[in-house]
Amino acid sequence: MTILVLIEGEAGTVKQPSRSALAAAARLGGNVHGLVVGSRADAEAAARLPGLSEVLHAELAHILAEPVADLIVGLAGDYSHVLAAATASGKNILPRAAALLDVQPISDVTEVMDEETFVRPIYAGNALARVRSADAKKLLTIRAASFDPVPATGGAAPIRAVPIAESAGSAFVSAEIAHSERPELTAARIIVSGGRGMANAENFHLLDKLADKLGAAVGASRAAVDAGYAPNDFQVGQTGKIVAPELYIAIGISGAIQHLAGMKDSKVIVAINKDPDAPIFQVADYGLVADLFTAVPALDEALANAP
Amino acid sequence: MKILVCVKRVVDYNVKVRVRADHTDVETNGVKMSMNPFDEIAVEEAIRLKERGLASEIVALSIGPAACAETLRTALAMGADRGILVEMPHSPEPLAVAKLVRAVAEREQPGLIILGKQAIDDDMNATGQMLAALLGWPQGTFASRLEIVESAAKVTREIDGGLETLRLSLPAIITTDLRLNEPRYASLPNIMKARKKPIDTLTPQALDVDVAPRLTLLSVTEPPTRKAGVKVDSVEELVAKLKREAKVI
């Protein structure tokens, strides 16, 4: 049994969700190969991951679903399972490859029971489905928050170049990627997240100071993103990012089920909200009923002064 | 250009689903059903393209039990021109859905197919990508902006870290993200008019599509529930607890 894991790189590093996908592959057992579509430096970073016996590398400036899915289909004959992290990129590519292989993919796997049985959340995480696949190959996306990532180093896998075709129907035009010194949402140990209660985009920046003090990432509820207070990639929830940090601080977030779906596996949850009946308090370990515009500056100060 | 939009009938967004006592599935009897919210965005986007003169006809497609006709009526009341129901007892898996939509697309020859990026029941986020693969068309998933320029679709996508814009040759597949538009409510006169719009009914057999499931649902269980914790009275108490009790800062 050999497993292929699609590994996402960035500037000569491997993204943390891909290291979680490797942890899921390790649960399946067997030989594991990595596939990196991107730069040589990204492939070299993947080769240093523990547990890989080979890294396949295809050079492509911009990752597009069509050629990467075709590449996976071309390679798939050698593999029993093909895994990707359930990131925007993994979700874009893997189902396309699955359809070409006549396989029903299994999205957002949170638990590997055996080589054909998996657990995945449905209905915004309000239920967990245990499913068995009858397909000859299994194509899975892995929910990163459910698997502790493998370390970034410890291995020395050989790299083999594989050819990739240019995309015929789709072309990259441009990207607007926000660069931040803060940790990525899906990799952060602490997340400070704001909701509609932040009231406007300017106020939303109140969270920056707090996040920097804690070494935290900044997240947002859908309401805050829809209202334009925060960019789309901040969104935590059923249709945004799924996170499980050590500490999640929800500020001015009421706690719609769709938001809870994205953060309720956090180890410790803090909620600050002026509405004592806000549903967020039902999942919070520590709740503070307070106006966030006084509580957030006070929290900044208390963190600076705390022994 | 003809646009095909796919609409799924799902448990309403505001319903908190319950797992059945026998753990075979979630309870859907007596629960309010609605159009999948991402599919409402798909219908709205199609209507806006038609209003701008970029589309000639909007065909709404739903797959599942006869009650999916209600979901099609909603799409028709919003502004779709006609409906197609592929009737079958259950809502099939994404692979089977993609095969059925492909079969309908081969009959209808749309220039664009718009779908929600995911259904809020199974949360699979797969059908659009799979349909694009089966048709051999380019895909613009998780779209937050769509323009049609010179027989191509310029689509801005929500990706990790920000936004990406792609140019897709037509025909193409678009899947909608939340920020693409805000769907309209159907007006009463349009609801009345929608009753007269045609809905054709097809079957998987008529389309010659194998819809046998690949996945067996072994069990459905409740996720571990979190217990509500404690309320603290001040920011100082909160910081003290996070440091000494939870030990997370």
Side-chain angles (χ1 to χ4, degrees):
Chain A
M1 192 170 91
T2 307
I3 300 160
L4 183 66
V5 181
L6 182 64
I7 295 176
E8 291 176 50
E10 186 178 44
T13 61
V14 170
K15 290 192 181 180
Q16 183 167 318
S18 293
R19 292 196 278 121
S20 291
L22 277 176
R27 295 291 300 275
L28 285 163
N31 210 3
V32 183
H33 291 178
L35 171 62
V36 177
V37 180
S39 70
R40 176 77 193 182
D42 292 348
E44 285 168 0
R48 290 191 291 273
L49 295 166
L52 287 174
S53 55
E54 188 173 34
V55 170
L56 310 179
H57 173 222
E59 190 109 30
L60 198 65
H62 297 289
I63 295 177
L64 296 166
E66 297 83 0
V68 180
D70 287 346
L71 174 66
I72 291 171
V73 171
L75 297 169
D78 298 335
Y79 301 99
S80 59
H81 296 71
V82 181
L83 275 59
T87 56
S89 179
K91 289 174 180 176
N92 188 35
I93 294 165
L94 198 99
R96 186 172 178 110
L100 295 171
L101 293 164
D102 196 30
V103 168
Q104 170 59 51
I106 303 177
S107 310
D108 262 317
V109 169
T110 56
E111 206 180 326
V112 174
M113 308 294 289
D114 60 42
E115 60 194 59
E116 57 182 23
T117 315
F118 309 95
V119 177
R120 59 179 305 272
I122 54 175
Y123 292 91
N126 286 303
L128 299 174
R130 194 151 59 97
V131 294
R132 185 194 295 138
S133 165
D135 283 316
K137 283 181 201 304
K138 323 296 182 202
L139 273 78
L140 317 172
T141 60
I142 303 299
R143 179 170 285 195
S146 301
F147 294 88
D148 286 335
V150 302
T153 56
I159 300 174
R160 176 160 64 97
V162 290
I164 188 164
E166 288 290 317
S167 178
S170 64
F172 174 85
V173 175
S174 63
E176 294 168 46
I177 304 293
H179 290 283
S180 165
E181 298 300 308
R182 299 202 187 93
E184 263 216 78
L185 260 180
T186 50
R189 201 181 70 80
I190 301 177
I191 294 173
V192 176
S193 207
R196 198 196 296 274
M198 300 308 298
N200 61 48
E202 202 175 307
N203 288 339
F204 204 88
H205 289 292
L206 283 175
L207 304 182
D208 293 351
K209 213 164 128 191
L210 184 58
D212 290 340
K213 205 156 275 172
L214 292 165
V218 178
S221 69
R222 178 192 168 183
V225 175
D226 281 358
Y229 307 167
N232 64 275
D233 66 311
F234 279 31
Q235 189 184 322
V236 172
Q238 179 184 18
T239 62
K241 295 206 165 78
I242 311 291
V243 299
E246 302 248 313
L247 174 59
Y248 188 90
I249 306 179
I251 300 175
I253 292 177
S254 63
I257 51 175
Q258 291 79 14
H259 185 75
L260 302 184
M263 46 63 81
K264 69 186 163 64
D265 293 327
S266 305
K267 195 165 150 243
V268 175
I269 297 173
V270 169
I272 300 175
N273 201 301
K274 67 180 175 193
D275 174 10
D277 298 323
I280 191 77
F281 287 120
Q282 290 164 22
V283 300
D285 300 280
Y286 302 107
L288 175 63
V289 179
D291 185 304
L292 71 93
F293 296 108
T294 51
V296 171
L299 191 54
D300 276 339
E301 199 166 318
L303 286 169
N305 299 335
Chain B
M1 179 174 73
K2 188 191 285 185
I3 300 179
L4 183 64
V5 283
C6 300
V7 295
K8 185 176 186 183
R9 182 173 181 265
V10 298
V11 172
D12 186 80
Y13 189 77
N14 289 307
V15 172
K16 188 177 190 307
V17 298
R18 307 266 171 224
V19 172
R20 279 189 198 149
D22 62 4
H23 296 297
T24 54
D25 206 337
V26 301
E27 190 54 70
T28 51
N29 284 327
V31 170
K32 186 186 178 199
M33 306 293 281
S34 299
M35 188 191 296
N36 179 41
F38 288 96
D39 302 347
E40 289 183 344
I41 297 172
V43 175
E44 177 66 33
E45 196 64 17
I47 296 167
R48 290 187 188 188
L49 289 170
K50 193 179 170 198
E51 286 170 348
R52 276 184 267 154
L54 294 163
S56 52
E57 188 186 26
I58 301 167
V59 181
L61 167 63
S62 193
I63 299 170
C68 293
E70 292 166 24
T71 313
L72 287 171
R73 290 285 168 210
T74 305
L76 298 174
M78 286 174 73
D81 297 295
R82 60 187 170 92
I84 298 173
L85 170 65
V86 177
E87 194 175 340
M88 50 192 297
H90 303 287
S91 177
E93 290 171 356
L95 178 62
V97 173
K99 289 177 179 178
L100 291 165
V101 180
R102 172 180 59 179
V104 171
E106 281 166 355
R107 294 179 166 206
E108 294 286 340
Q109 299 287 318
L112 194 65
I113 305 179
I114 313 180
L115 310 87
K117 79 163 180 179
Q118 76 191 68
I120 60 164
D121 50 5
D122 65 15
D123 282 334
M124 274 283 199
N125 191 336
T127 302
Q129 297 89 313
M130 300 181 86
L131 174 63
L134 296 178
L135 287 166
W137 294 3
Q139 66 189 52
T141 54
F142 325 146
S144 64
R145 194 179 152 84
L146 175 64
E147 286 174 82
I148 305 295
V149 267
E150 294 160 11
S151 75
K154 200 173 154 201
V155 54
T156 301
R157 310 177 51 236
E158 298 198 356
I159 60 167
D160 295 323
L163 298 170
E164 173 188 77
T165 301
L166 304 179
R167 189 177 183 281
L168 310 178
S169 60
L170 295 177
I173 302 291
I174 301 295
T175 77
T176 62
D177 216 318
L178 295 168
R179 259 70 62 176
L180 185 60
N181 61 50
E182 250 181 74
R184 69 194 64 193
Y185 291 102
S187 65
L188 192 59
N190 285 342
I191 293 170
M192 302 304 284
K193 260 193 266 172
R195 291 188 188 163
K196 296 202 181 76
K197 291 181 179 175
I199 295 180
D200 289 330
T201 302
L202 297 168
T203 61
Q205 295 73 26
L207 293 166
D208 196 22
V209 173
D210 173 12
V211 292
R214 307 296 181 83
L215 304 182
T216 308
L217 184 58
L218 300 174
S219 69
V220 174
T221 54
E222 298 263 6
T225 50
R226 276 190 96 93
K227 284 192 294 261
V230 295
K231 289 261 169 70
V232 294
D233 291 323
S234 68
V235 164
E236 291 69 27
E237 188 188 347
L238 174 63
V239 171
K241 285 207 187 286
L242 290 177
K243 275 191 188 286
R244 302 206 185 93
E245 199 173 271
K247 296 186 168 61
V248 285
I249 58 170

